[in-house]
Amino acid sequence: MMVLALQQTFEVFWVGDFMRDLRMASYLMEPVCISLWTICLVATVLLALMKMVWRMSCKTCSLQAQLEQCSVDLANLSETFGSETERLKAQLFQKHEALNPVLQADIPGHLQLISRDYWCIKTMDVVYTNKDGKLQTWQQTGYDISCFLPVGAHNLEVTFGVVGGVAIRQVDRSKPGFPWVVDAHGNPKVEKFCYQKCPCHMRYEVRGTSLHAFISHVAEMDVQTR
């Protein structure tokens, strides 16, 4: 009986140890299974990320190549249009130079005298040679005078005066106060404008009294001012 009791007790201990070892083995196996799934998941994510990075790198290279090609195309277009523009400018300049003498020869001249005050009545005298080589004279009085010269007029001389006064004398328009311009003997010079070719449109502005009138401003309209 004692042997049987000991045998049963041993079996109980053995079964208890076996069950404890079995539970320990299951505990050990469970973390191993979780770590394997984690490794597979991480590997999948890494592969997906690597694939995305590779695609983005390919797209970046493609975009860079397209940008470089666009830059080359723009440079070629700029060079082409630049040379074409310069060629057109040169042609226009040549046509302008060829037409300019014709236009100047076919446009009559215009001389205009404007009085900036009403102290006295002014006069403008014009002497010129027409296209037939004959000497011509022209005179008019007033406060706003216009002389229209015929086509082909040349060798012009323009002088000014005052009704009941003296000839308008020359002043230095570059200095304040418009001082008189005198000759070697100290006498004031008469204001006179000479033109070999007929100007398109000259404007003269006159001021002052009958004894002290002067041209204060001269302008070739739409070209220059002096």
Side-chain angles (χ1 to χ4, degrees), residues 3 6 11 78 81 112-114 137 144 153 163 184 208 220 222:
V3 174
L6 290 174
E11 289 179 356
S78 177
F81 282 108
Q112 184 180 17
L113 178 66
I114 298 177
T137 60
D144 190 346
V163 175
E220 187 172 0
D222 301 328

Side-chain angles (χ1 to χ4, degrees), residues 18-71:
F18 177 75
M19 294 299 295
R20 186 171 58 252
D21 294 339
L22 185 60
R23 286 196 297 270
M24 291 181 63
S26 64
Y27 291 154
L28 292 174
M29 289 298 294
E30 184 176 358
V32 172
C33 293
I34 293 174
S35 62
L36 288 175
W37 279 106
T38 304
I39 291 172
C40 292
L41 181 60
V42 171
T44 303
V45 172
L46 288 176
L47 288 175
L49 289 175
M50 291 177 63
K51 189 174 182 180
M52 291 176 62
V53 171
W54 179 74
R55 288 183 178 179
M56 292 180 64
S57 177
C58 292
K59 289 184 178 180
T60 302
C61 293
S62 177
L63 289 175
Q64 186 175 1
Q66 291 178 4
L67 287 174
E68 291 178 355
Q69 185 63 35
C70 288
S71 299

Side-chain angles (χ1 to χ4, degrees), residues 110-113 121-126 137-148 159-163:
H110 180 198
L111 305 177
Q112 184 180 17
L113 178 66
I121 301 175
K122 282 77 175 181
T123 65
M124 181 165 65
D125 296 89
V126 181
T137 60
W138 180 95
Q139 184 186 65
Q140 188 172 340
T141 62
Y143 296 104
D144 190 346
I145 306 170
S146 288
C147 174
F148 294 95
T159 55
F160 311 93
V162 176
V163 175

Side-chain angles (χ1 to χ4, degrees), residues 71-211:
S71 299
V72 173
D73 293 340
L74 286 174
N76 293 334
L77 286 174
S78 177
E79 183 178 358
T80 302
F81 282 108
S83 60
E84 187 68 17
T85 302
E86 293 298 328
R87 186 180 66 83
L88 291 175
K89 286 182 178 180
Q91 290 181 355
L92 290 174
F93 180 77
Q94 291 176 356
K95 291 182 179 179
H96 178 268
E97 290 296 321
L99 292 174
N100 193 36
V102 178
L103 293 175
Q104 288 185 351
D106 293 339
I107 296 177
H110 180 198
L111 305 177
Q112 184 180 17
L113 178 66
I114 298 177
S115 178
R116 292 304 181 184
D117 54 47
Y118 299 95
W119 292 105
C120 53
I121 301 175
K122 282 77 175 181
T123 65
M124 181 165 65
D125 296 89
V126 181
V127 179
Y128 64 94
T129 304
N130 62 16
K131 63 180 180 180
D132 297 327
K134 296 181 179 179
L135 191 66
Q136 303 291 325
T137 60
W138 180 95
Q139 184 186 65
Q140 188 172 340
T141 62
Y143 296 104
D144 190 346
I145 306 170
S146 288
C147 174
F148 294 95
L149 298 169
V151 175
H154 58 282
N155 296 333
L156 282 75
E157 290 186 2
V158 186
T159 55
F160 311 93
V162 176
V163 175
V166 296
I168 291 179
R169 291 169 292 182
Q170 185 177 355
V171 295
D172 189 347
R173 284 177 286 276
S174 64
K175 296 180 180 179
F178 302 103
W180 300 113
V181 176
V182 298
D183 57 16
H185 302 287
N187 299 318
K189 294 182 178 180
V190 174
E191 186 78 88
K192 179 188 293 186
F193 295 91
C194 299
Y195 305 99
Q196 184 178 1
K197 295 181 179 180
C198 182
C200 292
H201 185 186
M202 294 297 300
R203 176 180 291 177
Y204 312 95
E205 296 181 5
V206 60
R207 303 172 187 269
T209 61
S210 59
L211 298 179

